[in-house]
Amino acid sequence: MTAEVKPSSPPLTERQEARRRRILHASAQLASRGGFDAVQMREVAEAAGVALGTLYRYFPSKVHLLVATMQDQLQHLHTTLRKRPPAGESAAERVAETLMRAFRALQREPQLADAMVRALTFADRSVSPEVDTVSRQTTAIILDAMDLPGPPDPEQLSAVRVIEHTWHSALITWLSGRASIAQVKIDIETVCRLIDLTGPEPR
Amino acid sequence: MTAEVKPSSPPLTERQEARRRRILHASAQLASRGGFDAVQMREVAEAAGVALGTLYRYFPSKVHLLVATMQDQLQHLHTTLRKRPPAGESAAERVAETLMRAFRALQREPQLADAMVRALTFADRSVSPEVDTVSRQTTAIILDAMDLPGPPDPEQLSAVRVIEHTWHSALITWLSGRASIAQVKIDIETVCRLIDLTGPEPR
DNA sequence: TTCGATACTGAAACTTGTTCTAGGTTAGCG
DNA sequence: CGCTAACCTAGAACAAGTTTCAGTATCGAA
């Protein structure tokens, strides 16, 4: 279930790889302060030491840039989470625990979270492939936490999708100050019950 | 459970009410064609026959405008839905039916849906009150569909929130072409099972 | 009816995402 | 080494959201 971010088509030279990394770093840096609005393309370019045109060659829009930033952060998160797998009894508990852990990680950088999530939901069709990658990464994290014996069945996949929807949308309501952390926790736990509903029992 | 859109603080004169209505109409009109990008503030102002500054006095940003447009459309929808209540046996069925009906309504105006939903998820804290109103309208629609005998308990409210999250997020993935209508239907039906899970049984 | 406050208009200006252009640099290859 | 294509840079230019301002119209109260 390893979901590596695709190294994509043309292999980059070392300097190009470094540029790309500098850009993503600058993006995350700026986002950590003022959130979405603070990630201004001219500033990112300057902070990364590249020309504006170059920035646009690497990331065709601000949304692309921030979604790529999210891919980057998610990969870190996934790696971190794997080191200490959740300890719950049931799959539902493990998933809820994992998501709340991820949530606390985002809490530490709320502005960064804001920038990434806003970009993700604002993305139009032209960013679909990249958004899809993020979605696959999230799915991988959840399935990892479920720690199923075999491959998931379609019903479980649907439950996972619903959990993703909830996770995503709950994050937004928290970021915009319309829900408390406690409420997010309750919603996550509520939706995770779906897992035990679909899994072992006969239908 | 009637959730009227608050008439807000200062009562408007007749001409002001008419202006406001013209603006919302122009907004919906433009959105129905090109979606979010086609709702350009200068064009809205021109189509509504008001100056740009006036448009901004009524709606302090494009996002505010589109969220207000959504409030408007939701109210229509709610009225329409009430005329023919869903017929399902269980609360879960009725909610799923209602949401799919709403979904089909949006399908008829995908560009408008795109504009409204993008605005909703892109909204930052400054739009929280308005977004909250939309959320309450949605909650009211779902609770109506559930047709509970008494007031909902906290567990049911959490289930409703999760359903809203799913509805909202599923809509986004459909609009951005990353999920089919069939998939949305499955996800809605999946999440609606939560209702029967929380309701009648003893815990 | 008249007055003062508030709202509206038209137009310019400002901001930030995005595109374009002309010229210099780099990488790979014979 | 020298060539060529692809890449990079600096900077201007353009697009659309938002703000501002001076002047005009409207409204509600005296």
Side-chain angles (χ1 to χ4, degrees):
Chain A
M1 206 49 57
T2 41
E4 293 306 314
V5 175
K6 58 170 179 232
S8 97
S9 339
L12 301 178
T13 72
E14 210 165 308
R15 304 185 47 169
Q16 288 176 322
E17 191 53 52
R19 266 192 211 104
R20 192 187 140 85
R21 206 117 291 288
R22 285 205 308 279
I23 292 173
L24 286 175
H25 185 254
S27 166
Q29 193 84 22
L30 286 169
S32 299
R33 314 204 210 308
F36 188 88
D37 292 334
V39 181
Q40 301 192 358
M41 299 304 266
R42 289 173 235 262
E43 288 200 32
V44 172
E46 188 181 6
V50 301
L52 189 56
T54 305
L55 172 52
Y56 273 94
R57 171 182 287 269
Y58 281 75
F59 301 97
S61 79
K62 174 169 171 170
V63 168
H64 281 86
L65 170 59
L66 283 170
V67 171
T69 303
M70 177 142 209
Q71 290 177 2
D72 210 40
Q73 303 287 319
L74 260 188
Q75 198 149 39
H76 283 197
L77 180 64
H78 197 172
T79 310
T80 307
L81 287 173
R82 284 207 183 178
K83 286 184 190 149
R84 284 180 302 125
E89 286 294 311
S90 67
E93 282 172 17
R94 289 192 296 274
V95 172
E97 185 186 332
T98 297
L99 290 182
M100 285 313 294
R101 219 189 270 175
F103 192 73
R104 280 188 287 273
L106 291 178
Q107 251 183 284
R108 266 172 247 129
E109 294 284 0
Q111 300 279 49
L112 176 58
D114 170 77
M116 297 188 306
V117 171
R118 295 262 292 288
L120 209 59
T121 59
F122 192 57
D124 66 0
R125 297 180 115 83
S126 72
V127 203
S128 285
E130 287 79 5
V131 174
D132 224 56
T133 298
V134 169
S135 176
R136 272 199 304 281
Q137 287 177 282
T138 310
T139 304
I141 288 175
I142 296 175
L143 286 176
D144 259 24
M146 287 173 73
D147 195 23
L148 297 172
D153 63 35
E155 219 179 9
Q156 290 173 318
L157 284 179
S158 177
V160 170
R161 272 202 312 278
V162 169
I163 290 172
E164 272 185 61
H165 289 320
T166 302
W167 156 252
H168 201 169
S169 175
L171 204 49
I172 291 172
T173 59
W174 172 68
L175 286 169
S176 63
R178 301 201 322 280
S180 65
I181 292 162
Q183 201 154 60
V184 170
K185 186 154 188 277
I186 291 173
D187 290 354
I188 295 290
E189 282 163 358
T190 298
V191 75
C192 282
R193 290 209 227 158
L194 269 178
I195 292 177
D196 293 341
L197 194 64
T198 59
E201 304 85 351
R203 306 206 304 133
Chain B
M1 205 48 58
T2 41
E4 292 306 313
V5 175
K6 58 172 178 231
S8 100
S9 339
L12 301 178
T13 72
E14 210 165 308
R15 304 186 47 175
Q16 288 176 321
E17 192 51 55
R19 267 191 210 104
R20 190 187 141 86
R21 206 117 291 290
R22 285 206 307 278
I23 292 173
L24 285 175
H25 185 253
S27 166
Q29 194 83 21
L30 286 168
S32 298
R33 316 204 210 308
F36 189 89
D37 292 334
V39 181
Q40 301 193 355
M41 299 303 266
R42 289 174 234 262
E43 287 200 34
V44 172
E46 187 179 8
V50 301
L52 189 55
T54 305
L55 172 52
Y56 274 95
R57 172 181 286 269
Y58 280 75
F59 302 98
S61 78
K62 173 169 172 171
V63 168
H64 281 86
L65 170 59
L66 284 170
V67 171
T69 304
M70 178 143 208
Q71 290 176 2
D72 210 40
Q73 302 289 317
L74 261 187
Q75 200 150 39
H76 283 198
L77 180 63
H78 197 171
T79 310
T80 306
L81 287 173
R82 283 205 186 179
K83 286 184 190 150
R84 284 180 301 124
E89 286 293 313
S90 67
E93 282 172 18
R94 289 193 296 275
V95 172
E97 185 185 332
T98 298
L99 290 182
M100 287 311 294
R101 220 188 270 176
F103 191 74
R104 280 188 287 273
L106 292 177
Q107 254 183 284
R108 265 173 249 128
E109 294 283 1
Q111 300 278 43
L112 176 58
D114 170 77
M116 297 189 305
V117 171
R118 295 263 292 287
L120 209 60
T121 59
F122 192 57
D124 65 2
R125 295 180 115 84
S126 71
V127 203
S128 286
E130 288 79 5
V131 174
D132 224 56
T133 298
V134 168
S135 177
R136 271 198 306 282
Q137 287 177 284
T138 311
T139 304
I141 289 176
I142 295 175
L143 285 176
D144 259 22
M146 287 173 72
D147 196 22
L148 296 171
D153 63 35
E155 217 178 11
Q156 289 173 318
L157 284 178
S158 177
V160 170
R161 272 204 311 280
V162 169
I163 290 171
E164 271 185 61
H165 289 320
T166 302
W167 156 252
H168 200 171
S169 176
L171 204 49
I172 292 171
T173 59
W174 172 67
L175 286 169
S176 63
R178 302 203 318 282
S180 65
I181 293 162
Q183 202 154 60
V184 170
K185 186 153 188 277
I186 291 173
D187 291 353
I188 295 289
E189 283 163 358
T190 298
V191 75
C192 282
R193 290 209 227 159
L194 270 178
I195 293 177
D196 292 341
L197 195 64
T198 60
E201 304 84 352
R203 306 204 307 132

